[in-house]
Amino acid sequence: MQDRIRKVKCDEGRPACRRCVSTGRNCDGYGIWGGGGTASSCRPDRLKTHYDAPYRLLPVSLVVATVSTVEDEAYFDWFKCRTSLKLPGTFILTFWKKLVFQASVSEPAVLHAVLALSAAHKSEIEDGHRLGGHDGLPNEQEKSMLQHYSKAIKSLQRPCATDERSTIRISLIACILFFCLELLRGRYQIAQTHLRNGIELLRALYARPAMTDDGIILVGPCHVPIDDWVAEVLLSLHLRAVLFNPLAQNVLFTLQAFESELPASSFRSLHHAKLHLDRLLNQILALMKQCYQQGLSDDAQPPHALLLRQQRIQDELSSWLAIHNASKSNFSIQLSPFNEFVSLLLLNHHTMLTLMASTCLPHPTPESRFDDPTHTASFRAIISRSATLWRLIRTPAARALTTELFGAPPSLPSHPTANPSPKLNLKGNTSRSTNNDQTGAGRDAVAEMGWIPPLYYTAIKCRVPHLRRRALALLGSSLHREGIWVAGIVGPVARRVMEMEEDEGDGGMRGGDVRSMGERRDGRKLGVESGVEIGGAEDAEGEDELWSGLDERRLRMMLAVPEERRMRDVRMQLPDEPGGKVGVQCTRRKKDGVWEVFENEYDVSSGCWRDRAEVGGK
């Protein structure tokens, strides 16, 4: 670019033209894909902080996409003002803030992917239902979405970039946008296919990546920060998907574009803290995967090497918490209301990771160890923080902003009873779930980290009856999605697991009756009908109001679920169409050593379950 201005032939050096760098000039590179900068911009010490630095991208306000119709212009504006702010969740990175917009100016594939995603998001927020008309035929929004989706794919098949690396970058951005689009459409299998394709492309982008001793592939840093911006978003989405089914055959990745060790005193930002938490989650998942692959039995003594890795992870988690708290006390992290919200999310994920790390190795009673008082305190902390988060998003200011941009705030929690109705049947008949939640609307969809995984983990691993039901109540408080973590799916699954463990008709340990969902102790109903709201000024009643539908006195009298009734390895196969069927498999080991495998199917549209138990060998 500078060479063209100076009328000097460019030597096409990467990431910056050597003619410019050698004379001390600032090289503008080759547009968005070509790097640029000065000689100092490529120094290794720059790579540790480039996530927080601008990289010659135009401000979004200056980006004007070339669209052919007024309708497309409206979709682009919708993406700029709403979709790009909502879908990323709590961490709106440079990828979403600038990179996607500038790529859409020069790359037709990215532009059409943006317009398709915007059409899907706009339809769900404005119409309150999934794409398509009530008669099952495509409506105008869906037609626009499909047209741009098709054009984006065709553009990828005819790449305009002059080199392979730029082509891969364009495809990676499109993969991320396609993944988000299919999440909004409720086509989770196709979404995961896009994610897997993106991971394969990423491996091609980072040639010959290194690998850690625990099998985690290291990617980055790259001389061109754009590659690392794209990689960070893709790998974060991949990590949430791996967490969804941690024992599946997954490849684990982590970024090297920031410090591999915890900082000495404080985090630079909450984003910095989140990156280190993701690195620790990768290590925990790798440890769980290695234990599973080695086929270690419950009674086996874990190898010394695995014990050392577990201890190292636990030490780092303890250090992470101390550094996070120090960052707040020394004002490295300013506690605005938004940062308080993000901090609580991170703390909940840290608590979940601490539980996972301490229980990932073999144990004679692998599920009963969650009854340890220390673990119970951790579950209680997750629920308490989640209740605070629930209130934060219902304050008058947050409610007004959320309603203006994205629709109504979450509804009141509903409470699962100790006696499911109708009676659960494990013998293969169809039964209706007590939770008929659907998969949620686009106004409640984000692609990143949120509060669902810690609550789901609490609901399936904590066997303290009243705490378990509190977690389920919070999961059911909104039709919310965080990537492939869908509250309207994982909530009913967690409730099903609880019912199967506690069902008295099959020898379970269920206690006495409690009131129906959403019923107060005085018999009045919570919800719109009674005019009762929780949030804002009504918070004076504190946590008791959140759980007023639960008869906790009776729940606290319930007997503990014995080890042989506790479910393990709960796995889900998500549907590939809106309102489809979710496949669920879980196992438990009886006293005589016989394994029971339960294969269930949950119909999202009807809220019905169909299941059958298969008895395996010892």
Side-chain angles (χ1 to χ4, degrees):
M1 193 76 69
Q2 275 284 343
D3 295 327
R4 195 174 301 170
I5 296 171
R6 294 163 51 216
K7 298 183 179 180
V8 176
K9 181 175 175 59
C10 177
D11 64 19
E12 299 186 3
R14 301 282 177 160
C17 169
R18 285 183 290 274
R19 290 185 185 273
C20 290
V21 172
S22 63
T23 56
R25 290 179 171 84
N26 186 62
C27 176
D28 291 323
Y30 314 93
I32 188 173
W33 308 122
T38 64
S40 61
S41 70
C42 300
R43 292 198 308 263
D45 59 354
R46 176 179 174 274
L47 298 174
K48 293 185 177 181
T49 58
H50 73 241
Y51 277 113
D52 301 318
Y55 188 69
R56 297 191 172 277
L57 297 179
L58 291 173
V60 173
S61 59
L62 299 181
V63 174
V64 179
T66 304
V67 294
S68 57
T69 66
V70 174
E71 180 186 40
D72 289 348
E73 184 177 355
Y75 284 142
F76 190 81
D77 288 340
W78 181 278
F79 184 88
K80 182 187 298 186
C81 299
R82 299 209 178 186
T83 308
S84 65
L85 300 177
K86 175 62 178 175
L87 279 185
T90 51
F91 297 98
I92 304 178
L93 305 177
T94 306
F95 174 89
W96 292 103
K97 287 190 293 186
K98 294 182 179 180
L99 182 58
V100 169
F101 293 103
Q102 191 141 331
S104 66
V105 173
S106 58
E107 303 299 337
V110 177
L111 175 60
H112 288 298
V114 162
L115 296 176
L117 177 57
S118 181
H121 188 236
K122 190 172 188 287
S123 176
E124 290 217 356
I125 288 185
E126 290 189 340
D127 299 342
H129 58 76
R130 298 200 174 278
L131 287 163
H134 296 289
D135 56 2
L137 298 175
N139 58 17
E140 292 304 315
Q141 298 270 26
E142 185 172 14
K143 289 178 182 177
S144 296
M145 182 276 298
L146 291 174
Q147 288 171 359
H148 286 298
Y149 200 172
S150 176
K151 290 179 181 179
I153 294 173
K154 289 180 180 178
S155 296
L156 290 174
Q157 294 170 344
R158 300 189 303 270
C160 298
T162 57
D163 63 281
E164 182 181 4
R165 195 172 188 86
S166 296
T167 300
I168 293 175
R169 290 190 190 113
I170 298 166
S171 300
L172 280 170
I173 295 175
C175 271
I176 294 172
L177 298 174
F178 290 162
F179 172 78
C180 296
L181 170 61
E182 294 296 2
L183 288 182
L184 289 180
R185 301 180 71 196
R187 293 156 59 94
Y188 301 104
Q189 294 300 318
I190 295 180
Q192 290 178 293
T193 298
H194 284 308
L195 196 56
R196 286 192 295 270
N197 292 340
I199 291 297
E200 290 302 314
L201 286 170
L202 193 68
R203 299 178 78 166
L205 189 65
Y206 291 88
R208 297 183 296 279
M211 182 178 291
T212 64
D213 294 338
D214 46 11
I216 300 174
I217 297 175
L218 301 173
V219 298
C222 183
H223 292 299
V224 182
I226 289 173
D227 291 345
D228 292 335
W229 293 335
V230 175
E232 183 188 3
V233 173
L234 187 69
L235 293 184
S236 185
L237 297 174
H238 174 68
L239 187 58
R240 311 304 151 201
V242 173
L243 181 61
F244 190 78
N245 278 318
L247 296 182
Q249 294 299 316
N250 294 302
V251 179
L252 296 171
F253 297 84
T254 193
L255 285 167
Q256 291 190 97
F258 69 103
E259 309 96 298
S260 59
E261 302 294 334
L262 289 167
S265 57
S266 64
F267 294 117
R268 296 191 300 272
S269 63
L270 288 170
H271 174 226
H272 187 210
K274 185 251 187 189
L275 288 173
H276 279 288
L277 208 56
D278 282 354
R279 178 176 59 82
L280 292 171
L281 174 55
N282 261 309
Q283 294 179 15
I284 294 170
L285 292 171
L287 184 56
M288 294 172 61
K289 179 180 178 181
Q290 188 165 352
C291 290
Y292 180 74
Q293 290 176 339
Q294 291 184 11
L296 299 175
S297 65
D298 294 342
D299 300 322
Q301 175 64 29
H304 184 63
L306 297 187
L307 289 169
L308 287 177
R309 283 172 55 190
Q310 181 191 41
Q311 187 60 54
R312 186 179 72 245
I313 293 170
Q314 290 177 306
D315 291 344
E316 281 208 72
L317 284 167
S318 298
S319 298
W320 185 96
L321 182 61
I323 296 169
H324 172 273
N325 293 336
S327 301
K328 292 195 297 184
S329 63
N330 67 14
F331 304 105
S332 173
I333 298 176
Q334 299 294 327
L335 274 188
S336 65
F338 177 77
N339 280 352
E340 180 186 0
F341 182 90
V342 177
S343 179
L344 288 171
L345 280 181
L346 291 176
L347 287 171
N348 258 6
H349 280 261
H350 172 269
T351 302
M352 179 182 71
L353 265 57
T354 301
L355 285 162
M356 293 171 63
S358 63
T359 58
C360 63
L361 296 184
H363 189 275
T365 54
E367 295 301 316
S368 295
R369 60 180 160 178
F370 288 98
D371 299 342
D372 184 279
T374 303
H375 297 337
T376 300
S378 296
F379 290 129
R380 193 184 301 275
I382 288 174
I383 293 169
S384 177
R385 291 192 204 103
S386 298
T388 301
L389 290 168
W390 190 85
R391 291 193 188 92
L392 282 175
I393 62 176
R394 291 183 64 85
T395 59
R399 190 159 36 185
L401 178 61
T402 302
T403 302
E404 178 185 354
L405 292 179
F406 311 121
S411 59
L412 294 160
S414 61
H415 303 290
T417 66
N419 285 325
S421 179
K423 183 175 170 7
L424 179 68
N425 188 333
L426 297 180
K427 303 305 181 183
N429 297 327
T430 300
S431 62
R432 181 174 295 276
S433 168
T434 55
N435 185 353
N436 194 23
D437 290 343
Q438 301 300 310
T439 53
R443 62 175 63 90
D444 295 318
V446 297
E448 255 288 1
M449 170 190 286
W451 76 341
I452 294 178
L455 281 173
Y456 172 75
Y457 189 79
T458 299
I460 63 171
K461 293 299 184 183
C462 177
R463 272 72 176 204
V464 180
H466 72 284
L467 293 181
R468 195 175 204 178
R469 286 162 174 78
R470 286 184 177 191
L472 286 170
L474 286 164
L475 272 177
S477 67
S478 67
L479 303 180
H480 188 63
R481 286 179 288 177
E482 299 161 6
I484 64 172
W485 289 84
V486 185
I489 290 176
V490 301
V493 169
R495 183 174 301 185
R496 181 67 162 182
V497 171
M498 179 189 73
E499 293 172 350
M500 295 171 74
E501 292 182 349
E502 296 180 355
D503 180 59
E504 63 183 358
D506 197 35
M509 308 298 291
R510 199 172 62 212
D513 293 336
V514 296
R515 293 176 176 84
S516 61
M517 291 191 299
E519 186 174 312
R520 295 169 53 103
R521 293 185 180 90
D522 59 7
R524 290 193 293 123
K525 296 283 185 180
L526 284 173
V528 178
E529 298 88 348
S530 61
V532 178
E533 283 190 50
I534 299 176
E538 294 85 6
D539 282 348
E541 293 187 47
E543 279 196 5
D544 287 344
E545 182 68 16
L546 280 172
W547 323 123
S548 61
L550 294 173
D551 190 340
E552 296 202 1
R553 181 181 63 83
R554 287 183 178 270
L555 291 172
R556 292 172 190 268
M557 295 171 61
M558 288 175 61
L559 299 176
V561 176
E563 175 71 25
E564 64 269 15
R565 291 199 56 81
R566 300 190 180 196
M567 297 294 174
R568 310 190 200 178
D569 302 339
V570 180
R571 305 190 190 191
M572 284 176 275
Q573 183 78 16
L574 292 171
D576 203 23
E577 58 182 8
K581 294 178 174 60
V582 182
V584 182
Q585 184 186 81
C586 50
T587 61
R588 66 185 177 196
R589 191 179 186 185
K590 301 170 69 174
K591 283 184 177 180
D592 58 4
V594 173
W595 285 93
E596 289 183 297
V597 180
F598 294 88
E599 294 182 351
N600 305 268
E601 188 176 78
Y602 177 64
D603 189 317
V604 177
S605 296
S606 66
C608 289
W609 282 93
R610 185 177 299 276
D611 57 80
R612 59 187 178 88
E614 295 182 352
V615 180
K618 290 188 178 182

